[in-house]
Amino acid sequence: MPKLIITEKGDEKKKIVEFGPEGASIGRSEDNTVALPSNGISRKHASIKFLNGNCFIVDLNSNNGTFLNGAKVPPNEEKILRHGDLISIENYNLSFNQIDEMLSQSFNEVTDSDILEVKLLKKVLRAIDKESVPSVEVLNGSFVGKKFFIAENLEEIVIGRDETCEFQIEEYAISRRHARLFWNESAVFIQDLNSKNGTFVNNRKISEQELHDGDRIALATIVLIFRNPKEVDINELNVRPTTVKAPPSTQSVRAESVEETVEEASPSDEDILENAEGYPEETPDDYPVPVPRRERIKLSYVEIGMVGLGVLIFLFAVISFVNLMTK
């Protein structure tokens, strides 16, 4: 089931709320699925509902608004939710988690572990951000998990402690206006705004620098990670040759298992994934049956020495016996 991981600003405690197809209501009132006791939150503030297999967040015309990944949600307008999205309501952050559904769906679609790994990775990458919008996410501190998407229509995003900043991180070590993110042609750059404790990219202090996928940004002691799905070529992921085993059906147990060697497809791994949806074809009758190799006995040097000593003792005993018989 989908989950909401709820944290309050300045508090490291997490609360997890699961909800089903009936959706979830969010507000100050205790009869909501997610009750957020704060005077700045409306009694019926927002709701999450299912439609055509997708989840949507809807602001119920609240007084102080609902924010999705830093952008305000228009009242009574449905905004689709994806795994990892961050819903902000006053002093609360609600992280939308749907990894269980993604894993379950992927396991039902494929049968081979290596193909599963590639297909699941592709699915997660596409689900995280289908529009390929770059983002920054906080990795530590009180605001861990807070994320901001850097849309191309935004001229700049100021990161800092001040409430006027587009990406506010209320940490003491961060300056009021610490750094800014901005677009330069098709690339995202970061610039330090003369902060007190400096801005670092991959452990190197900078004044201005272009960002790439996976870069770690340190604002004093607070670390952020920059993600740019445009720089990730999902189609370059390859599948190694492997053996596919048909798993037992959920309704009946198969009497025998079917095996087939899957080779790499020359055009792309997408063809492999499509061919792996069903069970592999039956093995031809003339296909050679592999013969198990005999295990070789391996002895250590100590064991070899003990065997040699035993042989010498045996020979000495035989010689002594012969001498006694000839006397």
Side-chain angles (χ1 to χ4, degrees), residues 49-63:
K49 64 180 183 179
F50 283 85
L51 184 62
N52 298 326
N54 293 315
C55 285
F56 294 84
I57 181 73
V58 181
D59 180 83
L60 302 178
N61 201 19
S62 61
N63 291 331

Side-chain angles (χ1 to χ4, degrees), residues 90-108:
E90 282 298 295
N91 293 327
Y92 291 91
N93 290 323
L94 295 79
S95 178
F96 181 70
N97 186 297
Q98 208 174 15
I99 192 65
D100 292 343
E101 286 72 16
M102 295 163 62
L103 287 171
S104 175
Q105 186 175 359
S106 295
F107 271 99
N108 290 334

